[in-house]
Amino acid sequence: MKLLIITAIAEFEKEIIQQLKKAEVVTFSYKNVIGYRDNTEDAIESNWFSSEMNKSESILFYAFVRKENVDKLFESINEFNTKQETLSKIHVAVLAIEKSN
């Protein structure tokens, strides 16, 4: 069993749900969160609004997933991300579960 964590901008919610279904992940949870990006390192020309911290409406998905479904999901999300024309991507991470009850 693996713990799957997915973060993305809120606009990708429907796409993430489709990706989870395609990977046969039938049980998951998600929460609306606020994502922050520190722009202090950006060049002044690219930081239009000259604020140091930008926040965006984001989502956080998490699920306990069978090991064999993890690779399917990663492949599907990587394919989605490569087709994106925006800077924003779906971010996914997997953690091994040593013990669960």
Side-chain angles (χ1 to χ4, degrees):
M1 191 68 69
K2 304 285 185 179
L3 174 59
L4 183 72
I5 300 171
I6 302 171
T7 61
I9 58 174
E11 288 81 0
F12 290 159
E13 178 182 341
K14 289 180 183 177
E15 182 61 38
I16 293 170
I17 292 170
Q18 288 176 349
Q19 302 294 340
L20 288 166
K21 285 180 181 179
K22 194 187 301 185
E24 300 174 21
V25 177
V26 294
T27 305
F28 58 88
S29 300
Y30 82 97
K31 181 166 181 57
N32 292 317
V33 295
I34 300 295
Y36 285 90
R37 183 176 189 281
D38 182 358
N39 289 331
T40 57
E41 300 296 318
D42 290 348
I44 293 173
E45 302 83 34
S46 65
N47 190 354
W48 285 77
F49 302 106
S50 67
S51 65
E52 292 182 1
M53 294 294 284
N54 283 336
K55 63 181 183 177
S56 61
E57 292 183 22
S58 301
I59 46 178
L60 170 71
F61 283 80
Y62 48 98
F64 292 100
V65 179
R66 292 189 323 244
K67 184 179 177 181
E68 54 271 13
N69 296 53
V70 171
D71 289 336
K72 278 196 239 181
L73 185 64
F74 264 83
E75 288 172 19
S76 183
I77 288 176
N78 283 335
E79 183 179 320
F80 173 82
N81 283 340
T82 57
K83 293 178 181 176
Q84 283 306 300
E85 295 180 8
T86 64
L87 293 177
S88 194
K89 307 281 186 216
I90 296 174
H91 304 279
V92 61
V94 172
L95 303 162
I97 303 298
E98 292 181 29
K99 207 175 200 184
S100 68
N101 192 1

